[in-house]
Amino acid sequence: MFTVIVTLDVIPDRIDEFLDGLHRNARATLADEPGCLRFDVHRVADAPGRFMLYELYASERAFYDEHRAAPHYAAWRAVADRCVVPGSHVNTFATPAFPEDIPENAPRTDGNA
């Protein structure tokens, strides 16, 4: 498993555009990329222009090769280029210390692998 934690600040008068683009990207990532296990979007409570994303992928390849090559990712990058405060976007890459405890790692019960 491979984790991506993103922190970024959004230009105040572009928050609506940003949220729309981010929501589309998150939904498409979860729907179209089997290697994406989780894509959570958080807005910092005391800084409404700051966002944090928690993305969990089955592997580094699922993130670097599949996610970044997806058509919706290119659309997301265009939105981010217009809306994110330059220099504020920080990606932190990690791996779960206890992957067996992550609910997404549990066997699925819906008949899908």
Side-chain angles (χ1 to χ4, degrees):
M1 277 191 238
F2 186 67
T3 307
V4 182
I5 301 167
V6 180
T7 304
L8 47 80
D9 295 322
V10 177
I11 298 167
D13 64 348
R14 296 191 182 156
I15 287 177
D16 289 340
E17 177 186 359
F18 172 81
L19 284 170
D20 180 60
L22 179 56
H23 197 213
R24 290 174 191 265
N25 180 56
R27 283 186 168 183
T29 299
L30 285 167
D32 300 340
E33 298 176 35
C36 182
L37 306 174
R38 188 168 193 99
F39 197 124
D40 297 333
V41 177
H42 301 270
R43 195 170 190 174
V44 176
D46 61 353
R50 177 165 291 162
F51 292 83
M52 299 177 74
L53 315 179
Y54 174 82
E55 303 172 46
L56 182 64
Y57 294 87
S59 66
E60 286 186 53
R61 187 181 71 70
F63 173 72
Y64 285 112
D65 297 341
E66 296 166 15
H67 179 58
R68 289 190 167 179
H72 57 265
Y73 183 80
W76 154 245
R77 288 301 320 146
V79 170
D81 288 345
R82 287 190 304 274
C83 299
V84 173
V85 174
S88 72
H89 184 151
V90 177
N91 286 345
T92 302
F93 303 108
T95 56
F98 306 107
E100 67 278 5
D101 293 343
I102 294 175
E104 290 81 4
N105 202 31
R108 293 178 69 160
T109 60
D110 62 3
N112 295 318

